[in-house]
Amino acid sequence: MKGKGRAAKWGILPEAPGYNPVMSAIKPLPELLISQIAAGEVVERPASVLKELLENSLDAGARQIDVQLSEGGVRLIRIADDGGGINRDDLPLALARHATSKIASLEDLEHVASFGFRGEALASIASVARVTLTSRSSSEAHAWRISNTPNDQTLTPAALAGGTSIEVADLYYNTPARRKFLKTDATEYAHCDEALRRMALARPDVAFNLAHNGSVKHRLIAADLPRRARELLGAEFFAQARQVEAAAGDLRLMGYAALPAYSRAGRDEQYFFVNGRFVRDKLLAHAARQAYADILHGSRYPAYVLFLQLDPYGVDVNVHPAKIEVRFRDSRGVHQFVFHALQRVLAAPLAQVQSPHEEPRTTAYAAQHWPAPRQNSLGMNEPATAAYLEFSRSAFSGQPSLPQATEAAEATDAPLGYALAQLHGIFILAQNAAGLVLVDMHAAHERILYERLKNALEETSKVQQLLIPALFTASSTEMATAEEHAAVLVKLGFELAAAGPQQLTVRAVPALLANASVVDLVRALLADLKEFPASQVIEARRNELLSTMACHGAVRAHRSLSVPEMNALLREMEATDRADQCNHGRPTWSQLSLADLDRLFLRGR
Ligand code: ADP
Ligand code: MG
């Protein structure tokens, strides 16, 4: 309203259709029109009505909420709760603008704990739909009903065991222009379903039922978060979900974040709650996005259900009419906290992580059981112990020795188990306590190298001088790129020099990549560098470069690995951050449990 007044005064709107400046004397708007204008923000579509009504029920302490919709909620939204109800005398007020039972002062607003506080939802809804409100508070002998029928807002006695029941019919019947913006019933229903999911995730302890056009869509019994999340997001999400639990100062983050193996094409499974309220917040979404940056392909979206808890003083919820956006006092601190908490969980090595559906694992890194490491041809530390020697022996005989493998696997419970064999030069088969582990050896090795390269770079990389420098014929572009980015190449651990107008020699490479095909590696790197403007600092593109390097350094498919080499790779995976997905977010390993195998053979246990 303020905006409109200003616009008219300064003549911003003179060409607007139907606008007549001569008639623009300032006068107060009628109550109904005020509500209808407010409704434009609060009552965008049936789903926003449903959201407000669900919030009211929860604010009233409901333990059970039943929702019936017809025709996407446009025709009818009926919601019944078993909350505290509304006193007879308050019923007319409930439908009035700026009437609320939830706050009384600015002080209250600053630490508001209820969903509602603006006292305008019911009035807004009642201004654009036919509303009937029936309620019975515990002090009443029976229920009372009020409708927003024009000229007849009398209270009539009604029957209701307790709580409140609201019917919102014919949304926008009196504002046809708005009605035109509604989509198909199916789309409007989908938005309603989403509104209910958000509330149901926020309050797993409350039972929710939802029916659409007479058919039951949700029947959610009161539960805890793991169970509710599984019910609403599905077993697939849950199988890849890692539990988040972090605290710093008065900030606390809880919930589940899915590994990239379960990512989405859109933001549809990103649930962020701040002090129990679902929000779409750019700052939080950005923090999460960044935590996934290293492990998730840019075109995929992470899935998570996260609850941020903080002192209500630290967050302003009154910046958006539907309260879906918030403002943090210490936005930087919140960003940092969420980013680090998530990154830690996503990066945690396998052995440390507990999936939500598993018993806690107590095994420390297998590497700790294996002293006296030496390097194998993959550049991996290779433990030498009795069990290992056993494996080596069987490897030399060319036959994996299964009984010994079983013993070894039982003796020490390494999360990824012990190698049995290599399959088609691509996969490693290993046995662990749960059953069979399949590893994509190239993807796994690539990830390990990438993480190691990142670490190596931070401690100014260790360089390996080549005994025989590699010499290759270079294109003019390659020559130019090598010269232009000489400093970056040195920083990455490469020593290159021109050996002629069209020739480059490579004298040194990062120690970690000593086994790579040097010329291919350097060529790929130059191709990458060519794409960057000279001014671009290495930090900005560092990880891309390291990723290219790791890919070239990683063991190729069809290279045959010895059992000790395979085991060393498994141990290294266990000890490496983010080892369970490759740099492109694909999984590097997969578990087939004994139960999965039994199922394959239709074998009942
Ligand atoms: P707000 O929730 O911001 O207070 P609303 O317009 O949504 O404003 O609701 C107005 C008032 O009506 C609430 O403050 C509350 O007292 C009452 N009310 C609305 N719905 C319910 C309900 N389901 N149970 C009990 N009281 C309710
Ligand atoms: Mg409300």
Side-chain angles (χ1 to χ4, degrees):
M1 267 185 328
K2 218 162 125 204
K4 235 182 194 164
R6 209 185 302 130
K9 191 169 166 202
W10 295 101
I12 299 168
L13 293 174
E15 276 136 61
Y19 178 79
N20 181 353
V22 182
M23 289 178 61
S24 64
I26 299 174
K27 45 191 173 304
L29 293 166
E31 245 338 90
L32 178 66
L33 186 52
I34 294 175
S35 290
Q36 285 171 334
I37 290 169
E41 295 169 306
V42 181
V43 194
E44 200 190 336
R45 59 187 346 149
S48 32
V49 174
L50 179 58
K51 170 189 177 281
E52 295 293 336
L53 300 182
L54 288 169
E55 289 187 347
N56 282 345
S57 294
L58 291 171
D59 281 345
R63 312 295 308 166
Q64 164 89 43
I65 303 177
D66 297 311
V67 181
Q68 289 170 33
L69 306 171
S70 55
E71 296 172 25
V74 182
R75 174 81 198 78
L76 180 71
I77 298 173
R78 177 187 288 132
I79 169 166
D81 67 49
D82 61 353
I86 306 169
N87 291 328
R88 176 189 183 280
D89 297 340
D90 288 342
L91 272 175
L93 275 176
L95 293 182
R97 269 178 68 72
H98 303 313
T100 179
S101 56
K102 298 169 193 173
I103 57 168
S105 66
L106 186 63
E107 159 84 347
D108 288 347
L109 179 59
E110 284 180 350
H111 46 82
V112 63
S114 54
F115 284 114
F117 54 79
R118 297 166 64 106
E120 62 184 1
L122 285 186
S124 298
I125 295 166
S127 74
V128 291
R130 302 181 211 277
V131 175
T132 305
L133 180 57
T134 311
S135 194
R136 177 178 172 187
S137 73
S138 55
S139 56
E140 311 277 351
H142 58 79
W144 290 92
R145 170 172 299 161
I146 189 169
S147 299
N148 66 336
T149 338
N151 314 321
D152 179 23
Q153 304 205 347
T154 47
L155 284 163
T156 51
L160 195 69
T164 303
S165 160
I166 302 184
E167 281 184 28
V168 176
D170 301 326
L171 188 60
Y172 299 137
Y173 75 99
N174 56 354
T175 43
R178 291 210 60 99
R179 195 168 178 136
K180 278 199 217 110
F181 284 99
L182 294 176
K183 301 286 191 312
T184 63
D185 288 358
T187 301
E188 294 304 337
Y189 167 70
H191 284 283
C192 289
D193 178 63
E194 188 54 33
L196 185 104
R197 283 166 183 274
R198 291 171 183 174
M199 284 298 162
L201 282 169
R203 291 295 302 274
D205 58 317
V206 175
F208 292 86
N209 290 317
L210 175 68
H212 184 216
N213 293 339
S215 68
V216 175
K217 299 294 185 183
H218 289 290
R219 190 164 280 161
L220 303 167
I221 59 164
D224 53 10
L225 179 65
R227 183 170 173 164
R228 184 58 63 82
R230 183 190 294 267
E231 212 157 339
L232 290 173
L233 293 160
E236 261 182 82
F237 167 85
F238 228 66
Q240 297 295 337
R242 281 185 173 183
Q243 197 172 341
V244 181
E245 176 78 72
D250 71 344
L251 296 171
R252 185 156 178 231
L253 189 69
M254 295 170 299
Y256 298 102
L259 292 173
Y262 182 88
S263 61
R264 312 282 301 170
R267 292 190 181 82
D268 59 328
E269 287 188 6
Q270 301 188 346
Y271 295 94
F272 233 119
F273 299 86
V274 174
N275 289 348
R277 196 187 289 280
F278 175 87
V279 296
R280 276 241 173 277
D281 184 75
K282 288 206 182 72
L283 178 100
L284 295 175
H286 183 265
R289 178 90 237 170
Q290 258 197 318
Y292 277 91
D294 238 13
I295 50 172
L296 192 63
H297 190 273
S299 64
R300 302 292 296 175
Y301 293 87
Y304 47 74
V305 183
L306 294 168
F307 296 84
L308 178 69
Q309 224 60 51
L310 74 167
D311 187 323
Y313 280 107
V315 55
D316 185 357
V317 291
N318 189 29
V319 293
H320 186 271
K323 295 161 259 150
I324 199 161
E325 285 164 25
V326 290
R327 198 176 292 141
F328 296 104
R329 271 180 228 285
D330 175 19
S331 55
R332 233 186 93 82
V334 169
H335 186 279
Q336 290 287 89
F337 168 69
V338 170
F339 166 69
H340 286 297
L342 278 179
Q343 201 196 33
R344 219 173 306 125
V345 167
L346 294 169
L350 297 167
Q352 285 185 321
V353 171
Q354 190 187 333
S355 309
H357 52 287
E358 268 178 351
E359 292 302 306
R361 274 208 208 108
T362 47
T363 335
Y365 296 1
Q368 289 168 358
H369 302 301
W370 306 115
R374 64 193 163 86
Q375 293 251 309
N376 68 15
S377 66
L378 294 178
M380 304 279 175
N381 292 338
E382 206 176 88
T385 66
Y388 254 96
L389 293 176
E390 213 45 76
F391 277 120
S392 319
R393 222 170 292 141
S394 62
F396 286 131
S397 74
Q399 280 293 316
S401 120
L402 295 181
Q404 281 154 2
T406 312
E407 273 166 33
E410 277 165 7
T412 56
D413 172 28
L416 292 177
Y418 294 91
L420 301 171
Q422 198 179 5
L423 186 71
H424 284 273
I426 300 170
F427 300 105
I428 294 171
L429 306 185
Q431 170 177 325
N432 68 355
L436 178 69
V437 171
L438 289 159
V439 176
D440 178 332
M441 68 181 202
H442 171 75
H445 193 205
E446 183 180 341
R447 183 81 226 183
I448 291 166
L449 277 179
Y450 175 65
E451 291 297 331
R452 286 171 144 214
L453 284 164
K454 278 205 294 193
N455 293 338
L457 202 69
E458 273 146 26
E459 52 186 56
T460 63
S461 70
K462 296 182 193 74
V463 167
Q464 166 103 47
Q465 298 292 328
L466 297 177
L467 276 177
I468 308 160
L471 185 72
F472 69 101
T473 309
S475 70
S476 317
T477 322
E478 285 170 334
M479 296 298 295
T481 311
E483 191 185 335
E484 194 178 341
H485 292 280
V488 171
L489 286 162
V490 168
K491 214 163 179 185
L492 290 172
F494 291 88
E495 255 180 63
L496 259 67
Q502 300 278 255
Q503 276 201 319
L504 282 171
T505 47
V506 187
R507 297 217 185 91
V509 296
L512 286 167
L513 301 176
N515 296 319
S517 151
V518 170
V519 174
D520 288 348
L521 170 60
V522 169
R523 281 219 160 106
L525 203 55
L526 290 175
D528 266 9
L529 284 169
K530 180 174 71 99
E531 304 299 323
F532 307 162
S535 59
Q536 187 122 33
V537 281
I538 174 176
E539 267 61 40
R541 305 300 279 265
R542 188 190 81 153
N543 290 356
E544 279 170 63
L545 294 171
L546 296 183
S547 177
T548 300
M549 288 159 63
C551 183
H552 275 268
V555 53
R556 300 274 118 195
H558 305 304
R559 186 162 138 224
S560 80
L561 295 185
S562 67
V563 168
E565 280 177 323
M566 291 191 265
N567 280 322
L569 186 66
L570 294 174
R571 300 294 77 79
E572 198 71 26
M573 285 171 73
E574 285 159 359
T576 299
D577 285 352
R578 294 174 278 257
D580 43 359
Q581 50 256 306
C582 77
N583 304 347
H584 316 289
R586 292 188 297 268
T588 55
W589 68 284
S590 178
Q591 171 91 60
L592 275 174
S593 68
L594 289 176
D596 295 333
L597 294 169
D598 281 345
R599 229 171 285 127
L600 272 181
F601 296 100
L602 309 173
R603 206 167 150 235
R605 279 202 164 211

